[in-house]
Amino acid sequence: MKNNQRISLPSIPTLEYKKFLEQNVSLLKEPNNHCVNYYGFPSGGKIKLLCCIANDKEGTILVSSSYAEQNQLLPSFTNYNLAFHIFERELHENFGIKYSDHPWLKPVRFPFDRADKNSSSRNYPFYKIDSEELHEVGVGPIHAGVIEPGHFRFICNGEQILHLEIQLGFQHRGIEKLFLEKKIFLQRTTLAENIAGDTVAGHTTAFVNLWESLCNYKAEDDLKFSRTLALELERIAIHTGDLSALCTDIAYQLGSAVFGRLRTPLINYFQIWCGNRLAKGLIRAGKNNFPFTNELKNILEKLLHDYENDFDEICKEAFSLSTVLARFEKTGTVSNKDAFSIGTVGMSARMSGIERDVRKSHPHDLYSSFNHQPITKNHGDVYSRVQIRKEEIKQSIGYIRKLLENIPQQNKNRNPLSLSQPDSFCISLVEGWRGEICHCAITDEKGELAHYKVKDPSFHNWLALALAVRQNEISDFPVCNKSFNLSYCGHDL
Amino acid sequence: MLDNLKILFHQGKQYIPDVTNAEMPGIFRGRPIINSEKINEDEFMEICPTNAIEKNPVSIDLGKCTFCGECAFAFPNKIKFTTDYKISSNERERLIIKEGEDKPIELNPSLIRKEISEYFSGSLKLRQVSAGGDNSCELELNACGNVNFDMGRFGIEFVASPRHADGIVITGPISENMAEPLQICYDATPEPKIIILAGTDAISGGIFSGSPALNRNFLSKYKIDLFVPGNPVHPLTFINGILELIRKRK
Ligand code: SF4
């Protein structure tokens, strides 16, 4: 199937588990394929497993399914391919499925409806090393700054980090279940907007594209325009804020202040456009509350012009300073092999030469008009992630200028959204600024939502951060962490 | 060095000179005004994703509202969102806007504890606890300290430890998994201390209200000193709410 295509649920092949395993594991041997989602849901007293492998060259998604029982002992996919580790950990946590050969079967987010109620955030089984020389450092769940909660446990040899384990789940709000419980469409849209506040355009676009497909609604160009523009603006705004935060962490005050203030007009622009600095309220399925006008275009053109001048100037200054480069280069490195094997997405993949970008491989909205070329780097270090941000900002400015050349007319007599189609499955991929966002939905025989699944790019990428800090000084942790800027709430759901 | 000075120079002055009277750019959705026009009240109520709207008389609870604006799109003659961003109060009731009302939301001076003006009027150090939610309020609370809003000039700052804090700011609907860490943080804050709820999620649970993954018992145990509505809270709403709290006296 294609991105945002609705297919009938019975058309998904159901395989016997061993065959299911063999097939999906062998699909992943092909480097153009990667697993975008693998999850389970209760179906007729059993757990139906659904595996979605994207072919990034052909722009297709291969979906297959199988059945498992609660508490059943199964051979793991992870034993053959590490990228599956997190999905199987989730299946284990949600349904109690056991794996005979999974190397790291630990809790993922402590959902309220987890299979094992005895497992709690207080008794997380941290990895331990017995040694008199090594010491452990634990921080969180409440962080020192105004940041979301997570618990980080370092094992250090003096100042050097040998191992970092990240315990998440503190932000768990039960979002996937709420999608089913909240029956009103606007409630579900609001939920999508509140998955991750720094990715409002990303998650809301994934939701509305998926929903429109479920309702057989073809979005008009003005809707696609708003979504594409919002996604690229969000990318520029967050990347700019991240550059500021990275400068703060290496005590480069000028960069911190200038990048920080450059973010302000961008998020204020969202407020000018839709009344909310983070774009909440902007994106709706089958409807456009905030049509784009010529006046908005003029404001944006001026804004980008001013932004770009100051941005170029501070980049030139900051990235020629040896003191800045010394902290970024060769810090927090993840090799291409490691990044590939754990299935990273977005910037965390592109930093290590993996060209993974939904905008190119599975384009939605107006992305096919850009002939998008993902920006990749090869070193996998903090500096690669910084450079990707810097270059993506410039690329996005180019895309926005292109979009502004041709503002689609607002469609004044849109058809209302019809009801969602019965017995369907749909998958929606969006390249958010952080990477690949994936929403999946299943409807029942009446067309009512029967299952909803959200996957934030952070779900894959937290492990990349843990690998990045190995052999680094513990004082480099903050800059490594900011260079990924992963989502707690997007992961915890 | 010269380059640095040049860059510094043409950044100009970024701070908002008077945060209590600043103009909001664009179409911010702040304090709503509901007029007394007759409408189908049930239809009006049904629009709202978070049950913020009540009828007889029609009212909107800003502690539940996510400021999506959908009610105003459906009934443009009935309700209008103004750009008035001063929407914090220390009395939960004052966040409920009734039809026909058009007056500023303020703090109730008789509910401000004496210790607050006694100890905190010149400086206030806050520990932020992110308890569920979607990180949007955290982004805006961070923005309060940037070169634009520059909250630090009033002696109001976020600190890294509850031991250094005069109070806590809670964002998010308080997930079950954060209930205990929140309590520990509160207990570790020295007396006298205040509690501020920032954002719709914290005040009422917002769109997450009723989720079995939440545990909001903490809130029934203590007096809340300030409610700051918004989804997320706007930095100007937050700063003005706090300034009123520490400056207003009985
Ligand atoms: S703006 Fe507030 S009151 Fe109106 S529909 Fe949205 S949440 Fe409800």
Side-chain angles (χ1 to χ4, degrees):
Chain A
M1 65 187 289
K2 290 264 184 196
N3 188 12
N4 290 313
Q5 190 185 345
R6 181 182 67 84
I7 59 169
S8 92
L9 195 56
S11 71
I12 300 174
T14 307
L15 310 172
E16 188 266 317
Y17 184 81
K18 204 160 153 271
K19 189 101 202 303
F20 179 59
L21 184 156
E22 278 167 15
Q23 178 178 317
N24 285 303
V25 167
S26 78
L27 277 173
L28 277 210
K29 289 201 179 112
E30 164 62 42
N32 284 319
N33 289 344
H34 80 282
C35 179
V36 287
N37 224 338
Y38 172 35
Y39 65 96
F41 58 95
S43 165
K46 292 187 175 180
I47 315 298
K48 186 157 181 172
L49 305 170
L50 207 70
C51 188
C52 313
I53 309 273
N55 182 325
D56 296 336
K57 207 166 164 195
E58 319 250 301
T60 53
I61 304 160
L62 306 151
V63 190
S64 58
S65 70
S66 183
Y67 281 98
E69 311 256 349
Q70 259 190 13
N71 299 318
Q72 195 179 352
L73 184 72
L74 295 171
S76 73
F77 288 23
T78 310
N79 194 29
Y80 302 92
N81 190 314
L82 269 182
F84 287 110
H85 84 101
I86 190 78
F87 298 114
E88 293 195 319
R89 283 171 60 185
E90 188 191 43
L91 285 166
H92 171 69
E93 182 170 40
N94 289 357
F95 303 112
I97 295 172
K98 296 186 182 72
Y99 293 99
S100 53
D101 49 5
H102 191 294
W104 196 253
L105 212 46
K106 299 193 181 195
V108 174
R109 62 168 74 90
F110 303 99
F112 70 94
D113 51 354
R114 58 192 179 267
D116 178 7
K117 284 276 165 17
N118 291 325
S119 115
S120 86
S121 57
R122 305 184 73 186
N123 60 19
Y124 182 90
F126 282 104
Y127 184 71
K128 292 224 179 303
I129 298 182
D130 257 346
S131 159
E132 304 233 315
E133 285 84 40
L134 305 181
H135 67 278
E136 274 189 19
V137 182
V139 289
I142 302 176
H143 278 176
V146 182
I147 310 174
E148 299 174 87
H151 185 101
F152 293 63
R153 191 74 65 94
F154 300 87
I155 297 175
C156 297
N157 183 3
E159 292 294 298
Q160 200 183 49
I161 302 168
L162 294 184
H163 175 77
L164 160 64
E165 192 165 356
I166 302 165
Q167 180 201 354
L168 296 164
F170 297 97
Q171 296 279 76
H172 174 65
R173 299 144 283 171
I175 286 193
E176 289 172 348
K177 281 278 153 63
L178 286 174
F179 265 102
L180 309 185
E181 266 156 40
K182 308 257 175 197
K183 305 274 182 221
I184 300 167
F185 179 65
L186 181 58
Q187 291 180 325
R188 289 176 177 161
T189 315
T190 310
L191 273 173
E193 277 182 339
N194 286 277
I195 291 171
D198 56 20
T199 314
V200 172
H203 276 287
T204 315
T205 301
F207 170 74
V208 297
N209 282 349
L210 178 128
W211 200 265
E212 287 173 348
S213 301
L214 280 178
C215 303
N216 284 340
Y217 183 93
K218 286 261 164 301
E220 297 87 348
D221 276 352
D222 62 323
L223 298 180
K224 293 183 181 170
F225 173 89
S226 296
R227 289 167 201 174
T228 314
L229 178 59
L231 281 165
E232 293 308 308
L233 277 172
E234 186 168 86
R235 177 180 305 272
I236 302 176
I238 304 282
H239 278 356
T240 311
D242 283 352
L243 289 175
S244 164
L246 280 155
C247 290
T248 313
D249 279 348
I250 57 165
Y252 177 46
Q253 177 58 27
L254 185 68
S256 161
V258 176
F259 285 122
R261 83 117 182 114
L262 281 174
R263 188 187 74 121
T264 306
L266 288 160
I267 63 172
N268 277 345
Y269 183 76
F270 272 129
Q271 184 177 302
I272 292 169
W273 182 9
C274 76
N276 186 295
R277 299 219 303 166
L278 303 181
K280 289 185 182 182
L282 176 64
I283 297 167
R284 295 285 179 264
K287 160 165 136 157
N288 189 357
N289 287 335
F290 302 99
F292 202 78
T293 59
N294 268 326
E295 198 197 339
L296 282 167
K297 171 185 158 160
N298 295 339
I299 301 172
L300 185 53
E301 273 174 345
K302 162 115 184 23
L303 189 161
L304 290 178
H305 173 263
D306 295 349
Y307 173 97
E308 204 173 22
N309 283 339
D310 286 353
F311 181 77
D312 288 345
E313 182 186 51
I314 186 68
C315 281
K316 196 161 152 249
E317 178 68 16
F319 302 123
S320 61
L321 290 173
S322 56
T323 44
V324 168
L325 296 178
R327 289 295 306 277
F328 289 165
E329 280 178 340
K330 301 202 178 72
T331 306
T333 305
V334 185
S335 68
N336 168 285
K337 191 165 150 273
D338 284 350
F340 189 80
S341 72
I342 62 172
T344 56
V345 295
M347 197 166 40
S348 305
R350 299 197 283 275
M351 69 184 184
S352 301
I354 305 168
E355 202 195 78
R356 213 166 261 173
D357 192 323
V358 172
R359 290 176 292 174
K360 178 174 186 201
S361 55
H362 306 267
H364 52 88
D365 295 298
L366 298 183
Y367 281 111
S368 40
S369 65
F370 294 150
N371 185 22
H372 173 63
Q373 289 307 319
I375 290 162
T376 58
K377 297 287 157 196
N378 291 309
H379 295 288
D381 56 358
V382 170
Y383 192 47
S384 297
R385 297 186 280 280
V386 165
Q387 283 176 302
I388 289 181
R389 284 188 172 85
K390 181 181 139 214
E391 289 171 33
E392 285 194 351
I393 287 173
K394 299 287 283 183
Q395 191 181 42
S396 295
I397 291 176
Y399 290 162
I400 291 177
R401 292 209 170 109
K402 196 161 168 227
L403 281 173
L404 292 181
E405 280 168 15
N406 184 10
I407 302 171
Q409 279 289 317
Q410 192 206 353
N411 186 339
K412 294 240 166 67
N413 354 306
R414 249 182 264 278
N415 292 329
L417 270 187
S418 54
L419 293 177
S420 41
Q421 298 290 310
D423 281 326
S424 301
F425 171 73
C426 188
I427 186 166
S428 170
L429 299 176
V430 165
E431 188 72 21
W433 65 267
R434 203 181 256 126
E436 173 188 294
I437 295 165
C438 174
H439 286 210
C440 297
I442 289 169
T443 57
D444 65 13
E445 66 282 358
K446 293 198 209 84
E448 239 321 304
L449 201 55
H451 194 261
Y452 201 84
K453 190 81 200 144
V454 177
K455 195 206 67 184
D456 188 87
S458 310
F459 194 61
H460 302 277
N461 293 348
W462 276 109
L463 185 59
L465 168 63
L467 296 179
V469 299
R470 287 187 178 178
Q471 311 306 331
N472 281 246
E473 302 247 321
I474 195 159
S475 54
D476 278 328
F477 172 73
V479 46
C480 291
N481 190 18
K482 295 281 171 29
S483 72
F484 284 92
N485 190 6
L486 300 174
S487 178
Y488 302 77
C489 52
H491 172 279
D492 293 349
L493 296 172
Chain B
M1 191 62 212
L2 274 178
D3 280 347
N4 280 347
L5 286 175
K6 210 175 91 203
I7 293 175
L8 261 184
F9 179 73
H10 74 77
Q11 301 303 317
K13 286 199 179 73
Q14 288 294 328
Y15 66 93
I16 299 172
D18 181 359
V19 286
T20 56
N21 286 307
E23 281 281 330
M24 239 340 149
I27 44 168
F28 183 71
R29 284 182 290 279
R31 178 174 58 83
I33 301 172
I34 314 169
N35 73 30
S36 7
E37 188 192 77
K38 281 275 152 284
I39 50 155
N40 182 332
E41 297 189 352
D42 289 319
E43 264 178 41
F44 191 57
M45 275 174 75
E46 265 165 38
I47 294 169
C48 183
T50 50
N51 303 322
I53 304 178
E54 295 281 352
K55 56 180 183 179
N56 287 327
V58 175
S59 68
I60 292 183
D61 181 351
L62 298 188
K64 291 185 179 169
C65 175
T66 65
F67 298 87
C68 66
E70 297 281 347
C71 51
F73 285 117
F75 291 90
N77 296 327
K78 181 71 185 168
I79 169 160
K80 203 172 105 241
F81 282 90
T82 71
T83 53
D84 180 2
Y85 50 79
K86 293 182 191 166
I87 50 177
S88 307
S89 186
N90 57 346
E91 188 176 10
R92 186 68 181 82
E93 273 296 300
R94 292 195 179 198
L95 302 183
I96 300 173
I97 312 281
K98 298 199 186 61
E99 74 187 328
E101 272 178 14
D102 180 8
K103 52 174 200 283
I105 300 176
E106 287 179 330
L107 269 66
N108 179 348
S110 66
L111 293 177
I112 301 178
R113 287 186 280 146
K114 211 169 107 245
E115 306 92 272
I116 294 180
S117 36
E118 226 161 69
Y119 295 109
F120 305 141
S121 60
S123 126
L124 182 68
K125 306 291 169 210
L126 297 165
R127 181 77 270 257
Q128 197 269 332
V129 184
S130 175
D134 71 347
N135 194 31
S136 57
C137 285
E138 289 80 345
L139 286 170
E140 290 298 55
L141 292 179
N142 272 317
C144 290
N146 70 15
V147 290
N148 200 217
F149 298 104
D150 191 22
M151 186 169 72
R153 69 184 120 158
F154 306 109
I156 311 165
E157 267 167 7
F158 290 105
V159 291
S161 161
R163 300 278 186 214
H164 304 153
D166 305 314
I168 58 174
V169 179
I170 303 172
T171 55
I174 312 185
S175 59
E176 173 69 59
N177 298 343
M178 273 311 284
E180 191 186 5
L182 169 63
Q183 184 69 52
I184 293 171
C185 180
Y186 177 81
D187 292 341
T189 310
E191 299 278 357
K193 53 188 160 190
I194 64 175
I195 305 179
I196 297 166
L197 298 184
T200 298
D201 290 350
I203 299 173
S204 67
I207 191 71
F208 308 112
S209 165
S211 166
L214 305 184
N215 175 353
R216 293 173 57 78
N217 292 340
F218 177 87
L219 298 180
S220 51
K221 285 191 262 179
Y222 307 103
K223 178 183 167 347
I224 306 300
D225 294 291
L226 189 66
F227 301 92
V228 189
N231 183 31
V233 297
H234 193 282
L236 289 176
T237 312
F238 186 77
I239 297 172
N240 278 286
I242 300 219
L243 286 180
E244 223 191 315
L245 177 72
I246 59 181
R247 285 175 177 173
K248 206 168 195 168
R249 281 155 211 250
K250 269 183 221 186

